[in-house]
Amino acid sequence: MAELTKKERMKIARQDMPVQEPEDRVQNFSEVALGFTMELARTEAERCLQCKEPHCMEGCPVEVTIPEFIEAVREGDMAKAVRLMKAKNNLPAICGRVCPQEVQCESRCILGKKGQAVAIGRIERFVGDFELANKTFDVSRAPSTGKKVAVVGSGPAGLTCAVDLGRMGHDVTIFESLHTPGGVLVYGIPEFRLPKSVIRAEIETAAKALGIQILSDYVIGRTLTIDELMSKFDAIFLGTGAGLPMFMNIPGINLNGVMSANEFLTRVNLMRGYQFPEFDTPVMVGKRVAVVGAGNVAMDSARCSLRLQSLRSKENGSEKGGEVHIVYRRSSEEVPARLEEVHHAKEEGVIFDFLTNPVEILGDDKGAVRGMVCIKMELGEPDQSGRRRPIPIKGSEFEMKVDQVIMALGTSPNPLVFVNADGLERSRHGTVVANNDTGRTTMKGVWAGGDVVTGAATVISAMGAGKRAAADMDKYLSGEISW
Amino acid sequence: MYKILEKQVLSDVTKLMVVEAPQIARKAQAGQFIIVLMHDNGERIPLTIADYDRDAGTLTMIFQEVGKSTMEMGTMNVGDGFKTIVGPLGHPTEIENFGSVICVGGGVGIAPVYPIARALKKAGNHVTSIIGARTKELLLWEDKMRAVSDELIVTTDDGSYGRKDLVTVPLKEILDAKPGKIAKIWAIGPAIMMKFVAATTKPYNVPTIVSLNSIMVDGTGMCGGCRVPMEGGARFVCVDGPEFDAHKVDWSGLLSRMSFYRTQEQAAIAHWREKHKCNLDRAVAEGVK
Ligand SMILES: Cc1cc2nc3c(=O)[nH]c(=O)nc-3n(C[C@H](O)[C@H](O)[C@H](O)COP(=O)(O)OP(=O)(O)OC[C@H]3O[C@@H](n4cnc5c(N)ncnc54)[C@H](O)[C@@H]3O)c2cc1C
Ligand SMILES: Cc1cc2nc3c(=O)[nH]c(=O)nc-3n(C[C@H](O)[C@H](O)[C@H](O)COP(=O)(O)OP(=O)(O)OC[C@H]3O[C@@H](n4cnc5c(N)ncnc54)[C@H](O)[C@@H]3O)c2cc1C
Ligand code: SF4
Ligand code: SF4
Ligand code: FES
């Protein structure tokens, strides 16, 4: 394409990504958004104005050099685009898919002021997928330093930290309690949003190139403790996430059919329960499911429920799958999930009950869920989070007929890892106290980052924390700086 | 892969396996459990550590074939291996010299009670053990239990061996015969047995510990699937237990939660038998050719 003028660039419409149609995709667990073609990616790349002061970069927690990599895509120099990307972000195929771009990079894009922002995430995904298919980038390891590092947890924080340390020549061992590495990326986020093959490929390539040893089935705090790791390794990074589910303190919470989103999603994703009985782990789905909460976790639970309902109804020949509700105490304005997921959930038929809060779950004589009493809410003055506080409307209780309730109310760090780690200070909320720039904790030789420090946040912020910690750990291990 | 080094068939439906897992054997203590996963298509199955050998780096587990996964495990042999064994999980039993104690094991629950009885005996307690099963076939480790107990009572429901009684009958006799003398009781077995042991000891106010087997996924506190309603709120069996004060457990809540996946469990067995049969048929057909 010939060089375009600014005006011409601004005339190009934001390119849509091809998707599976809603009525098809609720029948399967395959990826919903199919990704750009080369042509779509280059057209979208033409929209970028190559700003001298690119505000988009300020919105990215790891400061991907956005205009540069987009320019490389525009020129069709994919190897260069990959190189630029990987300098800041090891996992573009993943971030392109799951970053909440509308509140990060794309929210700052100058084009978004009047029209629509450049689809940075979609181009980034294209770059990541290109790399997975073509392997242009050489992940190489610096000469060995002889230093040994233990990384606890294999989610985005741990993986990023391990990869960076591996590149710097340190000997890295990852300890993971589950049988598959990847953290939330494998046990939480469903296949239709982030295919497992993408994560597996990223992890295998990096581990092989960098000699990273991954020990799954190691629960730190049980199989080994932090103090035992201290005696065998020169430095430790904790990236154990925020895996502890929260339940509401309301009557009926222990009835059969009430479960945490973690349980439901782990059965579906990690254990592949949607392929039961080919896979052994059972997963139940009701005819009328209520998911409490409206974050990404809630959207994923709701959309997995819909899919299970229609797959199962096809199996037993009944007509309609069922009904899935999102029950959220605030309004549509405050929904914390990624915009694209909310949009997809609506298209697929998820029903949104805003300003509604459960007060009791009702059981039948066998101890199974038969309904949920909710109360209507209204919005009052803004609270500490700056969002308007939901207040119950007196006397507005009503009964919803449901037979399954999935709690997606947020999570906190799992304390299991902290056995025999007395010097490690934690906050009231159970998160590890760590320096934001370096990841250093209050225990000498121990760094931490990701959800275990911030509480449930995002993939890219966890990766950013892993990266910053790796840089500081490297300086410490080389003797450049002391503790 | 975690290799199977030894397999014993204790009854038609009860198997013992010794597996290689040095990192777990190093740490294992009485009362703790592991989670095993046979293969990529498998489910995570919790099993108590029935014994361990730190020097050899091995664990012993005993399981009863009650569903698809345990039946398939029963077909595994020496040389085969598990994809995953993770542990030791849960809190160990609190072992002290309490004085006189009773250990009750029912059916496959005899296996997990054994290391507890052994540790209690070693700590200086006077250990009375009661082991029971539906029928003689299903009794196990009588000799091992005898070796670590000061007294051993054996019962079967059908009278095919030992006393024809439920374990709760001799238990009540001892509590009546030695009022105020029993410091603590452990009971492990089917949930329904533990429920009746709890009901038996409650009037005597003797602290009673049970090891609960709720349905689990991760075993590390991540899913809440194992939670059991209890006096004072629900607890997670995998990280808060598996041992709890029997008198605080909401037994009907536990039993109801354990039955949640019943229809799917039955479907899994049917599916597996079907597939298994196909393989058998094919093997026979090929054999004929
Ligand atoms: C369902 C769901 C959907 C989400 N969707 C999005 C999204 O679309 N976009 C987005 O940006 N973010 C999303 N998030 C949030 C995001 O996934 C997390 O913020 C991110 O994964 C945090 O990374 P982490 O490395 O800190 O921890 P995790 O990803 O939680 O990884 C921690 C790892 O440590 C392991 N571990 C824990 N304890 C131990 C121990 N004692 N010993 C050994 N290993 C241990 C865990 O098994 C796990 O593998 C979602 C989260 C969920 C649950
Ligand atoms: C901490 C703990 C320790 C255990 N130790 C032992 C042991 O040492 N030996 C042994 O034989 N079994 C033990 N169990 C029980 C064992 O895990 C189950 O029997 C097994 O998971 C059943 O799997 P399945 O696919 O064969 O049967 P399924 O088809 O899944 O279930 C068949 C029957 O078993 C019950 N069941 C299912 N899952 C469990 C479960 N996790 N726990 C208890 N019952 C279940 C069901 O209610 C059903 O009635 C233990 C369970 C726990 C939680
Ligand atoms: S990593 Fe995320 S926030 Fe940064 S540019 Fe890529 S999509 Fe945007
Ligand atoms: S702000 Fe938008 S237009 Fe400007 S460089 Fe970034 S992506 Fe391109
Ligand atoms: S088994 Fe998941 S929390 Fe206990």
Side-chain angles (χ1 to χ4, degrees):
Chain A
M1 255 187 261
E3 191 66 20
L4 301 180
T5 64
K6 189 168 162 187
K7 235 181 169 162
E8 284 170 325
R9 292 190 193 290
M10 288 174 71
K11 275 208 187 116
I12 308 171
R14 181 173 156 118
Q15 301 297 296
D16 282 331
M17 185 154 48
V19 292
Q20 278 197 73
E21 290 307 317
E23 50 279 15
D24 297 331
R25 68 192 191 226
V26 294
Q27 314 272 354
N28 64 53
F29 271 80
S30 313
E31 196 165 18
V32 168
L34 303 170
F36 273 164
T37 57
M38 186 73 178
E39 202 191 329
L40 285 170
R42 291 184 70 174
T43 310
E44 184 62 33
E46 289 285 359
R47 297 184 65 228
C48 171
L49 303 179
Q50 296 294 317
C51 304
K52 289 276 164 324
E53 277 177 44
H55 292 297
C56 51
M57 280 177 66
E58 293 159 15
C60 172
V62 297
E63 294 174 328
V64 166
T65 48
I66 297 169
E68 277 92 338
F69 99 79
I70 292 184
E71 185 175 37
V73 172
R74 184 164 95 199
E75 289 164 352
D77 188 347
M78 291 305 294
K80 184 175 169 197
V82 170
R83 208 163 54 240
L84 287 164
M85 178 60 73
K86 290 255 174 177
K88 298 287 183 182
N89 179 351
N90 290 327
L91 305 168
I94 293 170
C95 295
R97 284 176 169 81
V98 304
C99 267
Q101 287 96 4
E102 70 276 8
V103 295
Q104 296 184 352
C105 50
E106 294 180 17
S107 73
R108 308 288 181 88
C109 171
I110 195 86
L111 287 185
K113 293 253 153 50
K114 286 216 182 94
Q116 287 194 296
V118 174
I120 302 169
R122 293 174 185 175
I123 308 178
E124 175 166 327
R125 166 180 167 172
F126 180 74
V127 172
D129 287 352
F130 178 90
E131 176 55 20
L132 282 176
N134 297 288
K135 302 262 177 279
T136 63
F137 187 72
D138 196 21
V139 193
S140 61
R141 187 171 148 82
S144 174
T145 61
K147 299 287 182 189
K148 291 171 69 188
V149 183
V151 170
V152 185
S154 62
L159 284 175
T160 308
C161 184
V163 166
D164 278 12
L165 289 167
R167 280 189 187 166
M168 296 161 182
H170 305 296
D171 290 331
V172 181
T173 308
I174 298 182
F175 294 92
E176 167 57 50
S177 58
L178 291 171
H179 55 273
T180 313
V184 169
L185 306 179
V186 295
Y187 79 72
I189 303 182
E191 181 78 17
F192 57 80
R193 211 147 70 75
L194 179 63
K196 305 285 167 288
S197 57
V198 171
I199 308 154
R200 202 180 320 124
E202 292 280 18
I203 295 177
E204 276 170 11
T205 317
K208 210 161 129 211
L210 301 172
I212 297 170
Q213 197 184 6
I214 302 180
L215 293 179
S216 33
D217 314 332
Y218 272 79
V219 183
I220 304 307
R222 290 275 189 261
T223 319
L224 286 171
T225 52
I226 291 184
D227 63 337
E228 286 171 307
L229 291 178
M230 290 290 274
S231 66
K232 293 192 192 121
F233 292 89
D234 300 301
I236 299 175
F237 176 80
L238 296 180
T240 48
L244 214 63
M246 274 182 227
F247 287 93
M248 291 180 98
N249 193 9
I250 57 174
I253 196 74
N254 296 315
L255 288 167
N256 263 339
V258 184
M259 60 188 70
S260 71
N262 263 9
E263 176 178 1
F264 182 69
L265 291 172
T266 302
R267 285 179 181 274
V268 173
N269 299 314
L270 179 71
M271 305 311 298
R272 309 257 293 263
Y274 65 94
Q275 283 165 292
F276 178 89
E278 275 321 309
F279 284 72
D280 293 340
T281 304
V283 54
M284 288 298 229
V285 69
K287 285 242 174 293
R288 298 172 61 92
V289 179
V291 179
V292 184
N296 286 318
V297 185
M299 296 307 141
D300 285 345
S301 304
R303 297 172 70 202
C304 283
S305 302
L306 270 183
R307 281 162 175 74
L308 285 174
Q309 284 176 338
S310 51
L311 287 174
R312 300 251 165 105
S313 75
K314 219 160 66 178
E315 276 160 26
N316 31 5
S318 57
E319 182 112 345
K320 190 172 178 299
E323 229 172 80
V324 179
H325 292 250
I326 288 272
V327 176
Y328 184 47
R329 65 195 180 116
R330 298 179 194 260
S331 77
S332 63
E333 301 286 300
E334 287 86 15
V335 167
R338 278 184 92 217
L339 203 61
E340 192 183 1
E341 311 315 328
V342 178
H343 172 71
H344 283 158
K346 282 187 179 150
E347 277 186 346
E348 289 164 10
V350 173
I351 302 161
F352 286 76
D353 298 319
F354 294 115
L355 294 168
T356 304
N357 204 29
V359 290
E360 180 179 359
I361 302 167
L362 306 169
D364 63 15
D365 52 358
K366 294 200 186 73
V369 175
R370 68 169 172 83
M372 184 163 83
V373 181
C374 294
I375 191 162
K376 285 284 184 192
M377 311 290 278
E378 60 190 350
L379 293 179
E381 295 300 307
D383 60 14
Q384 283 160 325
S385 71
R387 298 179 298 180
R388 293 176 64 193
R389 185 197 305 275
I391 306 165
I393 303 174
K394 271 212 182 74
S396 68
E397 288 89 347
F398 68 101
E399 196 180 314
M400 269 176 88
K401 196 166 168 270
V402 294
D403 54 4
Q404 184 171 17
V405 179
I406 300 175
M407 292 283 162
L409 301 164
T411 50
S412 58
N414 189 337
L416 202 55
V417 67
F418 306 119
V419 172
N420 289 354
D422 293 340
L424 198 68
E425 194 183 325
R426 283 182 288 149
S427 77
R428 240 174 353 106
H429 307 288
T431 52
V432 171
V433 174
N435 181 301
N436 187 46
D437 297 324
T438 62
R440 288 188 186 196
T441 68
T442 55
M443 199 168 169
K444 188 175 177 210
V446 181
W447 285 255
D451 282 4
V452 73
V453 170
T454 55
T458 60
V459 171
I460 191 67
S461 59
M463 286 175 52
K467 226 177 167 55
R468 290 192 299 275
D472 191 64
M473 291 166 87
D474 180 54
K475 283 188 197 144
Y476 170 81
L477 290 169
S478 68
E480 193 183 320
I481 49 175
S482 56
W483 183 257
Chain B
M1 200 178 76
Y2 300 84
K3 262 210 196 134
I4 300 171
L5 302 176
E6 189 188 330
K7 176 180 176 182
Q8 288 175 27
V9 177
L10 303 181
S11 82
D12 271 359
V13 292
T14 322
K15 311 274 154 82
L16 172 151
M17 280 178 185
V18 178
V19 290
E20 197 173 37
Q23 80 279 14
I24 304 174
R26 249 186 88 239
K27 276 283 178 81
Q29 292 180 60
Q32 290 186 297
F33 68 99
I34 48 176
I35 284 190
V36 305
L37 176 70
M38 272 181 284
H39 44 63
D40 285 328
N41 291 21
E43 69 182 319
R44 294 170 64 99
I45 299 287
L47 294 171
T48 311
I49 301 172
D51 206 350
Y52 49 82
D53 182 333
R54 296 200 206 286
D55 298 329
T58 61
L59 299 175
T60 302
M61 53 202 197
I62 294 185
F63 59 90
Q64 194 156 24
E65 298 175 7
V66 294
K68 191 262 160 183
S69 294
T70 42
M71 284 177 191
E72 189 181 346
M73 264 167 66
T75 66
M76 293 171 81
N77 285 307
V78 172
D80 295 342
F82 290 88
K83 177 184 159 71
T84 286
I85 300 187
V86 61
L89 301 170
H91 292 289
T93 309
E94 276 175 45
I95 304 287
E96 295 171 31
N97 189 349
F98 297 99
S100 278
V101 297
I102 303 177
C103 292
V104 185
V108 74
I110 302 168
V113 111
Y114 165 72
I116 297 173
R118 180 175 61 182
L120 286 166
K121 175 78 188 149
K122 204 172 150 206
N125 291 280
H126 180 272
V127 179
T128 303
S129 297
I130 306 173
I131 60 172
R134 250 183 307 140
T135 183
K136 179 176 180 217
E137 245 268 88
L138 296 173
L139 270 176
L140 52 99
W141 279 10
E142 184 188 348
D143 47 343
K144 287 184 86 150
M145 283 302 288
R146 195 175 300 282
V148 299
S149 310
D150 294 286
E151 282 171 67
L152 179 76
I153 300 163
V154 184
T155 70
T156 51
D157 297 6
D158 64 359
S160 52
Y161 188 77
R163 285 177 55 167
K164 180 178 187 306
D165 268 320
L166 299 174
V167 287
T168 43
V169 179
L171 177 63
K172 187 167 186 311
E173 285 169 8
I174 300 172
L175 292 170
D176 282 331
K178 301 181 180 170
K181 291 278 155 50
I182 303 299
K184 212 162 175 170
I185 297 170
W186 277 260
I188 308 183
I192 199 78
M193 177 206 100
M194 294 191 282
K195 173 182 166 172
F196 282 109
V197 168
T200 305
T201 64
K202 179 101 199 241
Y204 299 88
N205 247 327
V206 182
T208 303
I209 305 292
V210 285
S211 180
L212 299 183
N213 40 12
S214 56
I215 288 175
M216 293 189 175
V217 185
D218 57 297
T220 63
M222 228 181 73
C223 72
C226 64
R227 71 194 190 282
V228 169
M230 249 175 247
E231 202 183 300
R235 307 287 298 278
F236 287 11
V237 173
C238 67
V239 285
D240 300 328
E243 295 188 353
F244 293 96
D245 178 344
H247 300 146
K248 295 208 167 126
V249 176
D250 169 355
W251 291 98
S252 59
L254 171 71
L255 287 163
S256 147
R257 288 189 59 83
M258 284 179 70
S259 68
F260 187 50
Y261 291 96
R262 186 143 299 155
T263 48
Q264 292 203 329
E265 284 156 358
Q266 277 155 2
I269 297 181
H271 178 82
W272 184 68
R273 287 228 167 97
E274 185 62 27
K275 232 172 87 182
H276 218 62
K277 189 169 152 286
C278 292
N279 288 341
L280 263 176
D281 291 348
R282 199 173 326 118
V284 171
E286 277 166 10
V288 171
K289 248 194 306 182

